[in-house]
């Protein structure tokens, strides 16, 4: 059986980017986290300790997004690394970091990176 937990649409204001102005004025970001795990025990026991705590995932994302990076690739990798280190029972993870209205001299809604780790 395949079990997936998703924490989607984590909306944040952060200060990532290669331009000096991005470090001063910041911008809007959305992070989606998908995790493959086995939550059969939790499904039977109804106990949070038997599954992944969404609050913990949200906290990891907020903490890592608060640390300025030039690249969303860098902050995305930090999020993945923390999830791998701190979440027990993780089989695989997929993190998407989306930068809304990037300053790239064009009419672009967003840019995003996706990092997949483990088994999917």
């Amino acid at each position: 059986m395949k079990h997936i937990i998703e924490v989607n649409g984590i909306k944040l204001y952060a200060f990532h980017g290669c331009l000096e102005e991005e470090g001063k004025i910041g911008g809007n970001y959305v992070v989606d986290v998908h995790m493959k795990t086995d939550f059969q025990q939790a499904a039977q026991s109804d106990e949070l300790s038997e599954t992944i705590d969404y609050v913990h995932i949200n906290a990891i994302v907020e903490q890592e997004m608060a640390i300025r990076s030039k690249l969303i690739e860098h902050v995305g990798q930090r999020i993945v690394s923390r999830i791998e280190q701190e979440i027990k029972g993780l089989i695989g993870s997929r993190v998407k970091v989306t930068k809304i209205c990037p300053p790239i001299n064009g009419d672009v809604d967003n840019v995003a990176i996706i990092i997949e780790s483990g088994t999917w």
Side-chain angles (χ1 to χ4, degrees), residues 46-65:
D46 199 26
E47 292 295 328
L48 178 58
S49 62
E50 300 288 343
T51 191
I52 296 171
D53 186 347
Y54 317 144
V55 173
H56 190 175
I57 299 302
N58 188 63
I60 289 171
V61 170
E62 286 181 345
Q63 291 163 11
E64 293 304 325
M65 288 294 290

Side-chain angles (χ1 to χ4, degrees), residues 74-90:
H74 186 256
V75 71
Q77 185 58 57
R78 287 200 322 263
I79 293 167
V80 168
S81 295
R82 285 249 341 249
I83 289 171
E84 287 177 341
Q85 291 170 6
E86 297 179 24
I87 302 303
K88 65 178 178 113
L90 192 65

Side-chain angles (χ1 to χ4, degrees), residues 1-71:
M1 190 172 295
K2 185 175 183 180
H3 298 133
I4 304 291
I5 292 176
E6 298 181 347
V7 182
N8 293 315
I10 303 171
K11 295 170 184 64
L12 304 128
Y13 197 84
F15 298 87
H16 307 300
C18 292
L19 301 175
E20 187 177 329
E21 294 81 16
E22 292 175 291
K24 293 177 181 175
I25 63 173
N28 292 301
Y29 295 81
V30 177
V31 177
D32 300 310
V33 180
H34 308 254
M35 295 156 289
K36 185 176 178 185
T37 189
D38 179 352
F39 58 70
Q40 187 62 40
Q41 276 300 118
Q44 293 174 358
S45 70
D46 199 26
E47 292 295 328
L48 178 58
S49 62
E50 300 288 343
T51 191
I52 296 171
D53 186 347
Y54 317 144
V55 173
H56 190 175
I57 299 302
N58 188 63
I60 289 171
V61 170
E62 286 181 345
Q63 291 163 11
E64 293 304 325
M65 288 294 290
I67 301 168
R68 176 159 164 60
S69 293
K70 289 184 283 184
L71 303 174

Side-chain angles (χ1 to χ4, degrees), residues 99-114:
K99 183 173 189 169
I100 310 300
C101 296
I104 60 173
N105 296 324
D107 188 9
V108 177
D109 289 336
N110 65 67
V111 294
I113 60 97
I114 297 171

